Amino acid sequence: MIKLADIYAKSIHYGGTSLLNHTKDVVNAIELFAEQLDYPFDIELAKKGAVLHDIGKAHPHFRSRISEYNHDSLLKKRHFESITHRHEISSLAFLSAFPEEEWDALIDMVVGHHKSVQNDSKRKGILDISTDERDWASNHLLDWDEWWECGKELLESFGYNCPEISKENATESLQYVRKYCQQKKTGWSPWRGLLKAADHFASAFNEKTSEQLDSLFEKPNLSFYYGSDRRSELYPLSLIDTSDARLHTIVIAPTGAGKTDFLMKRCKGRIFYTLPFQASINAMYQRFKKVVPNKDIRLLHATSEIVVKREGGKNYVDEQILQPLAGSSIKVLTPHQIASIVFGIRGFETAMLDIKGCDVILDEIHTYSDFSQAMVLEVIKALKYLECRIHIGTATMPTLLYKKLIEILGSSENVYEVKLSDAELEKFNRHKVYKHSADYDISELINLAIENKEKLLIIYNTVKGAQQAFKKIEENYPSVPKMLIHSRFKRGLRVNLENNLKEFYNGTKDNVGFKPCIVVSTQVVEVSLDISFDRMITQCAPLDALIQRFGRVNRYRSEKNIGKLKSVHVIEPKGNVLPYKLDILQKSFSALPENGAVLEECSLQEGIDLVYDVFDMKEIDIHLKFIDNQIVLKELTDCKKSVLIEALEIEGATCILEADREKYLLSNWEQRIEFEIPVNWKTLRGYVKEYEQLEVGSRPFVVPQKEEMHEKYGLELVEHENIW
C-alpha cells in the first residue's frame, strides 16, 4: 500500500517537496489570499480546494514521471507511456468527500489550475482528453485501490472526514466534472484565479512560504513623500494639494516637476507602478526600495515566455504571459505584464484578482503608439471595471489621446486633472536645440564636449547602432571615461551599469564634477533614470520621446541654474528609421527649433498636436477577450497565443550566455533572473535554428558570446564557431 509520506508534489529537480508539505503551504497561502484579495471568497471553502488540488499526484502515473519508478513489466511501462494523465483530474475523484453544494467551486479551483479545460495547446485539458481517449476516466483512476487511501489520509490530516470512496463513486465524480466543464459559459472564474495564486506562491517559495506571507498585502508606507523636505517651489507639483476626492488622476508636467511624488501621494492602497520599458523599471524600483520601508516591493522582470517548438519540419511559437506572484505593497512593471487581463492569457484570473481595487500608476503614457497604445487603452478599461484607482502621469500628451482617456475614465467628474501654468512652464526652459543633417560627422561635437570638460550623452535608436558607435568611440577616444548602456545586458549586469551611470558618470558621490565622459545609450535612458548630463547628441525620435531624452540633460534644478540652457543636438531622420515611422520623425524634426533657439516648454503641446494630428491607433479587437466590461472567453480556458508576439514591440524572449548555461540550470528562479538577457522576439527569431533553447526557467536561448565581449558591448547575436 502506498503511504502519504512517500508521495512528492515536486521532483527532486524542482525542490523535491512532499505532497503533504506542499499542500500545507498552499493552504496557508490561500487562507491569506481569500481574506485579503478584493473578492468575497468563502475562506473555509478555499482551504478545501487547496487540500484537494494535488491529491492526484498519488496516482502511479505521476509518481512514475517524477521519480525513478520501476514498472513491474515492459507491458505496464508501455501502457503508462501511452495514456494521458493529468493529476488535477485524478484529484477530483475525491469530490464526494465534500458536500455537493461545494462541488462547483471546488472544480473551478482544481480542474484548470494548470491547463485550460478545453483547447489546451497540448490537448491535455479535461474536455480535450475525454474527447480523444475513450478510457480517460479509468486511466485517471488506474490502481485506485492502491492509492486512494493516500488521498483519504491527506484529507483527514487537515480535519476533513473522508468516507470510503469506491472506484464507481470516483468515476461518477469525474463524469460530473466533465459535464460541468462542458456546460461552462463565457466569463471568468475567481475561484480558479485564487487557487492558481496560492499554488504558484507556494511552489515559488516551498518551505519559506509562511514567512513570505507576513508582509504580502501591506499597504505601502508613503510617509517619505509627505515630508516637509519634499515641498519646494523648485518642484511646483509638490505644492499642489493631492487630496482631491476624485478617483482618477491625470498629471501633465515637465521632467523634474515632481510627478512621481504627486502620483504616489494620490494612492490609497497597494500600488502597481507601470513604466513603458523593461529598461526603465529598474531605476524606479531602486528609488522605491530606498524610501518606502515595506518589505515586499517587487520588480517584475519577465514579460513573457516564448517557446519554439518543431513539428512537421517547421518551427512554431507558443507564448504565455509570465504571471507575477500575487501580493506585494508596490509592484514595478510594464503594462504588458497586466495585458493578460485583456487578452485572456494563462493566469489572467489571478492577475484580475491581484490588481482589483488597487492603485495603478501609468507613468509616461505618451510613449506608446500603434498596437501598444491600443493595448494600454484597453488595459485602462479593464482596470476601471476592476475598480482600480488610475493615475496617469506624462511630460506630454497629444490632445486627441487626452480626450480619449477622459472619455474612458468617465469625464472630468471622475478625474483630477493637473497641469502647470505657462509661467511655471517657462521656468523649465533649459535646452537650446541644434539640428544637423543625416550625414553630419558628430566627432566635431564630441571633441567640443571633451574640450569643455562636459558629460556627453549620445543616444541611438537601436542597440546595434549604439554598439557600432561605441566601438568607434573606443578607438578614437581611448583615454576618455566612457560606457555603453542598453537593454541587452544580463539583468544582473544591467543593475551594475545603471548604478555606475548614476554614481560615476553622472558625477555624484565621491566623483562630483568628474569630467569629461561619454555615455552611449539607446532609449533606455528616456524614462526614470535620475541622471543629468551637459550635452546630448541624439538620433531623431518622435517628439514626445525626444522631450524625454532632453530631460536627461540639465535635469537637476536649483535656484542658481533656473534659466540656464544647455545644448541638445538632433540628427535628421533618413532612410531606415526603425523602430519608428519616418513620417512621425520628419514631423518631429520639423517641430523643433533650430540654430540654438530655446525649446519653450509652453509651446510643446502645440508641437505634439502637430505631430500627432490623427489618432492613429491600430485595431486589436480580434485579439481581445475583455470587451464591454466582460470576458468573452469560455470559463476555465485560456488563449494559447497572444497579440504580443506578432504586433507589440516588446522584449518578449530571453537569452543567456553559453558560459552561464550550467549555472542557470542549477539556480533557483530568483538567481536565474541575474543571468537573463531580454530580447525582442522579432530580433531573435532568425536565430532559433542556431541556438539551443533550455526547458527550464523562462526558456532562454543560449548564445555563444564570450563573457568579456558581453560585459563591454552587451548581447551580440553571434554564430557558433564551426569545429572541423
Side-chain angles (χ1 to χ4, degrees):
M1 187 65 67
I2 307 300
K3 295 181 180 179
L4 178 60
D6 297 328
I7 307 300
Y8 286 84
K10 310 287 181 185
S11 74
I12 192 170
H13 302 294
Y14 290 89
T17 309
S18 73
L19 176 58
L20 181 59
N21 286 340
H22 174 66
T23 304
K24 288 178 180 177
D25 289 337
V26 178
V27 170
N28 288 337
I30 208 167
E31 185 172 12
L32 179 67
F33 290 172
E35 178 185 350
Q36 294 293 333
L37 292 172
D38 187 12
Y39 193 86
F41 288 113
D42 180 328
I43 296 176
E44 291 305 313
L45 181 54
K47 289 164 66 176
K48 291 178 181 179
V51 174
L52 179 65
H53 86 288
D54 268 357
I55 289 179
K57 289 182 175 180
H59 188 285
H61 195 282
F62 184 86
R63 287 185 284 118
S64 173
R65 192 156 54 85
I66 71 166
S67 67
E68 300 297 326
Y69 183 79
N70 293 316
H71 295 280
D72 298 335
S73 67
L74 181 60
L75 183 63
K76 191 169 184 178
K77 181 177 185 294
R78 287 177 176 172
H79 176 64
F80 264 59
E81 294 173 348
S82 69
I83 68 173
T84 302
H85 174 258
R86 293 303 308 170
H87 70 269
E88 57 268 33
I89 298 176
S90 292
S91 298
L92 289 165
F94 289 83
L95 266 183
S96 60
F98 301 97
E100 286 190 30
E101 62 269 20
E102 296 178 347
W103 285 12
D104 292 355
L106 291 173
I107 295 170
D108 275 14
M109 281 188 271
V110 176
V111 74
H113 77 269
H114 284 299
K115 302 285 184 182
S116 284
V117 298
Q118 191 171 27
N119 296 327
D120 173 68
S121 60
K122 296 182 179 179
R123 293 199 61 80
K124 290 188 177 181
I126 185 172
L127 299 184
D128 301 320
I129 296 171
S130 60
T131 299
D132 296 345
E133 299 183 18
R134 183 181 59 183
D135 298 325
W136 71 276
S138 60
N139 286 341
H140 281 82
L141 302 176
L142 195 67
D143 297 337
W144 175 255
D145 291 338
E146 292 183 11
W147 64 272
W148 88 270
E149 288 194 11
C150 288
K152 173 183 173 69
E153 185 181 351
L154 182 67
L155 291 172
E156 292 181 345
S157 70
F158 286 91
Y160 303 117
N161 181 48
C162 181
E164 182 173 350
I165 301 175
S166 68
K167 190 171 184 178
E168 289 72 26
N169 293 146
T171 301
E172 289 172 3
S173 294
L174 295 189
Q175 294 294 354
Y176 178 88
V177 173
R178 181 177 186 271
K179 184 177 180 181
Y180 174 76
C181 293
Q182 285 177 323
Q183 294 174 346
K184 277 290 188 182
K185 306 298 182 183
T186 58
W188 71 289
S189 170
W191 285 111
R192 186 191 190 203
L194 177 67
L195 194 282
K196 275 177 170 279
D199 189 34
H200 289 175
F201 195 90
S203 296
F205 293 106
N206 290 329
E207 69 276 4
K208 297 181 180 179
T209 297
S210 293
E211 63 187 73
Q212 293 291 332
L213 292 171
D214 293 342
S215 56
L216 198 59
F217 288 95
E218 286 180 350
K219 287 186 178 181
N221 180 343
L222 304 180
S223 57
F224 168 82
Y225 297 100
Y226 290 90
S228 59
D229 60 336
R230 303 300 292 178
R231 291 175 56 84
S232 169
E233 291 184 1
L234 290 173
Y235 308 101
L237 288 175
S238 71
L239 304 178
I240 299 177
D241 183 26
T242 59
S243 62
D244 188 278
R246 283 169 283 192
L247 283 179
H248 311 305
T249 314
I250 297 181
V251 180
I252 300 179
T255 299
K259 283 196 299 293
T260 300
D261 281 41
F262 190 90
L263 293 170
M264 292 295 284
K265 288 162 68 176
R266 287 286 291 157
C267 296
K268 309 295 183 184
R270 293 170 51 227
I271 299 172
F272 287 68
Y273 197 107
T274 76
L275 287 159
F277 308 116
Q278 286 281 322
S280 62
I281 63 178
N282 292 330
M284 187 59 70
Y285 169 75
Q286 294 295 334
R287 288 169 65 177
F288 289 146
K289 288 292 286 185
K290 288 179 180 178
V291 301
V292 180
N294 298 78
K295 176 183 176 182
D296 193 350
I297 299 173
R298 204 175 301 168
L299 172 64
L300 302 188
H301 281 292
T303 297
S304 61
E305 173 184 298
I306 290 178
V307 182
V308 177
K309 302 172 183 176
R310 192 163 182 83
E311 282 189 6
K314 293 183 179 180
N315 290 320
Y316 76 95
V317 176
D318 194 14
E319 182 231 19
Q320 70 173 63
I321 303 289
L322 288 181
Q323 287 308 315
L325 301 177
S328 79
S329 298
I330 301 176
K331 279 181 177 164
V332 188
L333 67 167
T334 70
H336 301 91
Q337 292 163 307
I338 307 174
S340 61
I341 296 172
V342 297
F343 294 130
I345 307 301
R346 187 166 72 179
F348 74 93
E349 300 101 331
T350 298
M352 291 176 73
L353 287 174
D354 190 29
I355 206 167
K356 188 176 186 297
C358 292
D359 287 275
V360 182
I361 294 175
L362 296 159
D363 199 356
E364 304 304 347
I365 194 172
H366 67 277
T367 59
Y368 306 102
S369 60
D370 296 342
F371 289 103
S372 287
Q373 186 176 94
M375 180 207 71
V376 171
L377 293 178
E378 295 298 335
V379 165
I380 291 172
K381 293 176 186 178
L383 295 176
K384 185 185 175 189
Y385 167 76
L386 292 170
E387 301 176 331
C388 296
R389 295 171 294 276
I390 302 163
H391 312 293
I392 297 170
T394 185
T396 58
M397 185 186 298
T399 299
L400 293 174
L401 176 59
Y402 190 93
K403 290 179 178 178
K404 184 65 176 177
L405 288 169
I406 293 294
E407 177 189 330
I408 292 172
L409 294 176
S411 81
S412 297
E413 294 180 4
N414 296 319
V415 183
Y416 184 27
E417 302 171 73
V418 179
K419 298 179 181 179
L420 301 185
S421 67
D422 284 352
E424 289 171 319
L425 288 174
E426 186 177 355
K427 297 178 182 179
F428 284 84
N429 294 343
R430 47 195 161 176
H431 303 117
K432 48 187 178 180
V433 181
Y434 297 87
K435 298 197 288 193
H436 303 277
S437 64
D439 56 358
Y440 179 77
D441 182 1
I442 66 171
S443 59
E444 180 181 340
L445 294 174
I446 297 175
N447 293 333
L448 177 64
I450 294 171
E451 181 181 337
N452 292 340
K453 297 185 177 180
E454 294 175 337
K455 296 180 294 180
L456 173 64
L457 181 60
I458 307 175
I459 302 180
Y460 287 83
N461 292 339
T462 65
V463 172
K464 187 175 182 180
Q467 289 170 327
Q468 291 174 340
F470 185 75
K471 290 175 181 178
K472 290 182 181 178
I473 289 171
E474 276 188 311
E475 294 176 8
N476 297 333
Y477 305 94
S479 62
V480 179
K482 66 189 72 66
M483 73 173 292
L484 171 66
I485 185 168
H486 53 73
S487 61
R488 290 189 214 155
F489 283 94
K490 289 193 285 188
R491 296 192 197 278
L493 181 56
R494 267 286 304 284
V495 172
N496 294 335
L497 287 171
E498 288 177 5
N499 288 336
N500 199 21
L501 174 62
K502 290 183 288 184
E503 295 177 9
F504 183 82
Y505 292 91
N506 195 42
T508 59
K509 291 194 173 180
D510 296 333
N511 299 293
V512 175
F514 185 92
K515 299 177 181 180
C517 64
I518 303 171
V519 172
V520 179
S521 177
T522 60
Q523 53 265 56
V524 298
V525 297
E526 284 180 15
V527 182
S528 297
L529 276 178
D530 189 16
I531 55 175
S532 183
F533 278 66
D534 300 310
R535 186 182 298 268
M536 173 184 291
I537 305 168
T538 177
Q539 288 186 314
C540 188
L543 182 58
D544 45 341
L546 284 175
I547 292 166
Q548 285 297 116
R549 294 182 187 187
F550 297 165
R552 308 309 118 181
V553 173
N554 200 15
R555 176 181 173 85
Y556 299 144
R557 292 171 57 74
S558 67
E559 294 291 349
K560 294 181 179 179
N561 68 13
I562 289 179
K564 292 187 177 180
L565 305 173
K566 292 196 175 181
S567 300
V568 294
H569 303 264
V570 184
I571 307 301
E572 180 185 16
K574 185 178 179 181
N576 184 347
V577 294
L578 291 175
Y580 303 117
K581 294 181 177 179
L582 183 59
D583 64 321
I584 294 294
L585 297 195
Q586 289 171 334
K587 289 180 182 179
S588 298
F589 194 73
S590 297
L592 291 170
E594 52 190 312
N595 299 323
V598 176
L599 182 68
E600 301 279 354
E601 287 286 336
C602 61
S603 68
L604 291 181
Q605 187 62 55
E606 181 181 353
I608 289 291
D609 289 336
L610 285 173
V611 173
Y612 298 104
D613 54 345
V614 176
F615 193 62
D616 182 19
M617 191 176 76
K618 298 291 186 183
E619 294 293 334
I620 60 171
D621 292 3
I622 189 173
H623 302 283
L624 292 176
K625 299 304 175 187
F626 181 86
I627 301 174
D628 296 333
N629 287 342
Q630 58 184 335
I631 296 291
V632 291
L633 184 67
K634 183 173 180 174
E635 273 194 51
L636 306 182
T637 67
D638 319 308
C639 287
K640 293 181 290 186
K641 185 179 177 183
S642 85
V643 67
L644 296 183
I645 291 178
E646 297 176 345
L648 300 181
E649 296 290 340
I650 63 169
E651 293 159 354
T654 301
C655 292
I656 62 170
L657 299 187
E658 196 167 61
D660 294 328
R661 183 183 184 278
E662 294 306 314
K663 289 179 284 187
Y664 190 88
L665 289 170
L666 296 173
S667 296
N668 62 35
W669 66 279
E670 290 177 294
Q671 294 166 334
R672 284 171 176 164
I673 288 173
E674 300 294 303
F675 301 115
E676 293 174 351
I677 308 162
V679 181
N680 188 294
W681 168 243
K682 291 183 178 179
T683 301
L684 183 63
R685 63 185 173 188
Y687 292 83
V688 295
K689 293 181 181 179
E690 183 74 24
Y691 301 147
E692 174 192 12
Q693 183 175 23
L694 300 185
E695 296 295 319
V696 300
S698 59
R699 307 289 185 93
F701 293 86
V702 182
V703 180
Q705 184 186 25
K706 296 187 184 302
E707 182 81 27
E708 61 270 23
M709 299 303 288
H710 180 80
E711 290 181 358
K712 289 178 66 175
Y713 306 121
L715 184 69
E716 295 180 285
L717 299 176
V718 296
E719 296 182 359
H720 286 273
E721 295 179 5
N722 292 321
I723 301 176
W724 299 95

